[in-house]
Amino acid sequence: MKTTSTLIPLIFAASTYAHGILHQITINGKSFLGNGVNGGTPISSIIRQVSTPNPNKGASNAALNCGPNAQPATLVANANPGDQFGFDWKGADGSNWPHNTGPMLTYLASCGSTTCDKFDPQTAKWFKIDQVGRAPGSADWVQQSLMTGSLASVKLPSNLAPGNYMIRHEIIALHLATSLGGAEFYPACGQLTVGGSGTGVPDVSELVSLPGAYSDNDPGIFDPQVFDASAPYTFPGPPIAAFVNGGTSTPGNATTTASSSTASATKTGGAKPTGTSTTSSKGKSCKLKKGKTASSSVVPSASAAAASATTTDMYPRHFSRVMRRLALGRSI
């Protein structure tokens, strides 16, 4: 029989396999490698470096912004409206992503007149451009495709106004979300300068702070029915900004049994893992590669008056005028 002291390293090793980070971002096929976690030799990157691959718990956790203790990256990538982004998530040991249950969401925030390598995202006002849940016509979550080396694929809005933007991709792992506080948040941020001549900007009512947009008891975060494929899923957070869909808002609290957008996952061409990964039907643990065991109601967006104080210099000039008039109580 193994002693407790013998088991402790095994438990720690198993928990490491259950965690992960954003390994790289691709923009129209061009790759930008991330730094891993703090402590390694840093490289030039557009991805903000985090301090740990461990899951972030609690909807009010400051790590929900760009990841735990995220540090500014040294590079800013050029992009254009309609560009295809790929988010390559990996396990902490470099293996494929270990989780298969829960949504993936994508946000943007304007960095204003400064380039995003000098921007503090804790002050950001974010707007949602994409959200995916279960794959269309399937009981499987789109997140599951990351386990075979696929990228989470998202397009920038085709009419996005030019400017400096943070892009935030987030995985919410729900394999323990049958218990309150069990959801695991994995956010990561990249730094962009978007060109073009688009005019699309979010409405002030669609802007949120992160943390602040979620609550631990939102139905898409605390979800006792998460393993019931027939149960509708409720996305947390704000609606997808109306301009993204040509003026038709996709509610953040929309219920769906499939993906609510056209985002998907694309193969990287790498070899598939030899093991398998499935989720316990009771939601208490994950069966990970190598057989190791892993240790909404929507919160209203910021008001026009509150948001105007921090966003009047972040978006194009005509939008700023609208927000200032709202703050003064005038009609538009």
Side-chain angles (χ1 to χ4, degrees), residues 174-235:
L174 298 179
H175 54 286
L176 301 178
T178 54
S179 297
L180 186 65
E184 298 179 355
F185 301 89
Y186 296 90
C189 292
Q191 301 169 173
L192 307 176
T193 294
V194 176
S197 57
T199 58
V201 294
D203 184 80
V204 65
S205 65
E206 298 166 332
L207 300 173
V208 297
S209 297
L210 288 163
Y214 305 153
S215 173
D216 284 322
N217 60 5
D218 284 349
I221 293 172
F222 170 46
D223 191 350
Q225 295 182 297
V226 69
F227 297 108
D228 180 356
S230 65
Y233 176 72
T234 303
F235 288 97

Side-chain angles (χ1 to χ4, degrees), residues 24 40 88:
Q24 69 178 358
D88 184 12

Side-chain angles (χ1 to χ4, degrees), residues 200-287:
V201 294
D203 184 80
V204 65
S205 65
E206 298 166 332
L207 300 173
V208 297
S209 297
L210 288 163
Y214 305 153
S215 173
D216 284 322
N217 60 5
D218 284 349
I221 293 172
F222 170 46
D223 191 350
Q225 295 182 297
V226 69
F227 297 108
D228 180 356
S230 65
Y233 176 72
T234 303
F235 288 97
I240 291 176
F243 82 91
V244 175
N245 298 314
T248 303
S249 178
T250 300
N253 63 347
T255 55
T256 178
T257 55
S259 167
S260 75
S261 78
T262 57
S264 60
T266 56
K267 294 291 183 181
T268 63
K272 292 185 178 182
T274 55
T276 59
S277 177
T278 58
T279 307
S280 166
S281 62
K282 294 183 179 180
K284 298 300 182 182
S285 64
C286 290
K287 294 181 180 179

Side-chain angles (χ1 to χ4, degrees), residues 66-152:
C66 281
N69 303 306
Q71 300 298 308
T74 57
L75 299 181
V76 176
N78 292 319
N80 286 298
D83 278 357
Q84 188 76 44
F85 278 62
F87 298 92
D88 184 12
W89 289 85
K90 297 287 188 185
D93 63 346
S95 60
N96 288 334
W97 182 250
H99 298 309
N100 65 358
T101 303
M104 297 188 290
L105 310 101
T106 311
Y107 293 82
L108 291 175
S110 173
C111 299
S113 60
T114 185
T115 55
C116 292
D117 57 327
K118 300 177 179 66
F119 180 69
D120 178 6
Q122 293 289 342
T123 67
K125 295 300 179 183
W126 301 90
F127 58 97
K128 188 186 288 181
I129 64 168
D130 190 81
Q131 58 189 10
V132 291
R134 292 187 175 91
S138 173
D140 296 333
W141 297 81
V142 175
Q143 182 189 157
Q144 181 171 313
S145 62
L146 305 185
M147 300 176 69
T148 57
S150 297
L151 305 183

